[in-house]
Amino acid sequence: DAVNALFAQFSVDPQSVNQKVFDSLIKSGACDVFGGHRAALAGSVAGLTDQAQKRRREIEAGQSNLFGSSATALPAEALSSVPQWAESERLRLEKEALGFYLSGNPLIEFESHLARLVTHTTEQLRGGFQGTATVGGLVTRISRNKIKSGPNAGRVMARFVIEDLTGSLPVTLFADMLQRYDSMLQEDAAVIVKGQVRERGAEVEMTIEEMTLLARAVERLVSGLRVSLDRELPQTEMLRLRDLLTDHPGDAAVEFEVRLGEELVLISPLQRFKVNATPALLSRIEGIVGAGKVHRLGL
């Protein structure tokens, strides 16, 4: 109903409003007012644009009015089957369309973890702080420049702006640090950076000493995994789970939670079942035992 309502509101001139325009409107959130979710709108825009253009031609030919066209609306069941975009994908497309985040921020899901991983927010550093600090945020406005003079002449250094939930801070990567961390320097990458903060003219700037991806830093906070098991889980699935755990060795201990009657029993397997608790591994475990049945411990 949402996507059909969207196109019922417009008399579409194919010369000025095409599918690309509607794609951008949907990604930006401008069509959220019609209800539904953006993935369903985006998945339906091609067919509905064709229908709207057909309606326009009928009106111009005097065959019908905009709301009395013979064009057929897309079936609601087809639209409801379209899965919603993950929050990270929804926000990525929103920024792609607008140039900034409007309805959320990818860092929000990490907010509680950031409090344990950083020493300061960018807002606190802009208040006159000087010294060593660790901050976390999104990499934005990357620039690379060749050094013109001095012992590093001819080498490349980089600057970017790190944005957290309180503001932003200019950051510099000198040649040696850029060579070490260049693979992480991607637009909108979520990172933790440590370095020296000092005044540079009228601004405060950080010079990086260490840099790591935020997701990897969060993984290090995980002390273990708790997996809820159904007693009815088939033996073949248990063997799949065993093989999955042994194929991803790491430092996070795994424990199983099984309900026996009215009691919950925790079972700790052998040390060899310690794993590297990446989001990808958690997703694969949930693919065996069920969604929502894997919990990270220590966070």
Side-chain angles (χ1 to χ4, degrees):
D1 291 343
V3 287
N4 292 316
L6 189 164
F7 283 89
Q9 300 301 314
F10 299 101
S11 176
V12 177
D13 180 357
Q15 301 301 315
S16 58
V17 183
N18 56 24
Q19 181 177 339
K20 186 174 181 181
V21 171
F22 278 112
D23 282 335
S24 295
L25 288 170
I26 290 166
K27 291 174 182 178
S28 71
C31 298
D32 289 355
V33 67
F34 295 104
H37 59 81
R38 297 180 192 179
L41 292 171
S44 308
V45 71
L48 287 172
T49 300
D50 290 343
Q51 289 187 17
Q53 291 173 348
K54 180 179 179 181
R55 293 174 184 177
R56 178 75 179 196
R57 290 192 295 269
E58 290 175 347
I59 294 167
E60 292 173 348
Q63 296 177 17
S64 65
N65 60 52
L66 179 62
F67 302 104
S69 169
S70 59
T72 304
L74 293 185
E77 58 271 18
L79 304 179
S80 62
S81 66
V82 178
Q84 293 192 39
W85 288 326
E87 180 69 2
S88 57
E89 178 69 0
R90 187 184 70 80
L91 291 172
R92 183 187 70 79
L93 293 171
E94 182 176 279
K95 185 174 183 183
E96 178 185 287
L98 295 173
F100 54 89
Y101 298 112
L102 179 65
S103 63
N105 189 299
L107 291 176
I108 290 176
E109 65 175 297
F110 294 105
E111 189 171 8
S112 61
H113 307 322
L114 280 170
R116 299 176 57 184
L117 292 168
V118 306
T119 60
H120 298 78
T121 65
T122 60
E123 182 180 45
Q124 290 169 334
L125 296 181
R126 292 195 311 274
F129 176 90
Q130 295 193 61
T132 302
T134 301
V135 297
L138 302 176
V139 174
T140 64
R141 289 176 273 175
I142 304 165
S143 65
R144 292 177 171 84
N145 306 100
K146 187 172 289 188
I147 301 171
K148 296 180 179 179
S149 60
N152 287 312
R155 299 182 69 189
V156 176
M157 61 178 289
R159 288 191 170 91
F160 66 92
V161 174
I162 189 165
E163 296 183 359
D164 63 9
L165 295 171
T166 68
S168 61
L169 185 76
V171 176
T172 297
L173 274 166
F174 288 118
D176 287 343
M177 293 295 102
L178 177 59
Q179 186 174 359
R180 182 180 301 178
Y181 299 119
D182 191 44
S183 63
M184 299 183 195
L185 209 58
Q186 306 291 331
E187 190 73 20
D188 287 330
V191 298
I192 300 289
V193 294
K194 177 182 178 182
Q196 292 296 318
V197 179
R198 56 177 60 89
E199 291 183 357
R200 185 172 182 267
E203 288 189 329
V204 175
E205 181 180 85
M206 171 181 281
T207 301
I208 283 188
E209 297 172 349
E210 297 177 19
M211 183 173 178
T212 187
L213 294 175
L214 177 56
R216 187 168 298 169
V218 171
E219 287 169 16
R220 294 172 185 163
L221 297 176
V222 179
S223 61
L225 296 180
R226 178 172 295 169
V227 182
S228 298
L229 293 178
D230 293 328
R231 295 183 63 188
E232 297 79 12
L233 194 68
Q235 184 178 9
T236 55
E237 298 299 280
M238 289 294 294
L239 292 175
R240 280 183 60 206
L241 181 58
R242 180 200 64 185
D243 293 343
L244 183 60
L245 297 178
T246 54
D247 287 345
H248 294 79
D251 298 322
V254 179
E255 63 182 32
F256 298 110
E257 181 182 74
V258 184
R259 180 169 292 280
L260 299 176
E262 297 298 318
E263 295 186 3
L264 282 175
V265 178
L266 293 180
I267 302 171
S268 297
L270 301 173
Q271 288 290 101
R272 67 187 179 94
F273 288 107
K274 284 190 172 183
V275 298
N276 182 17
T278 64
L281 177 60
L282 269 64
S283 178
R284 293 184 64 183
I285 295 174
E286 287 193 336
I288 297 174
V289 302
K293 294 189 175 182
V294 182
H295 304 280
R296 292 181 293 186
L297 306 176
L299 292 179

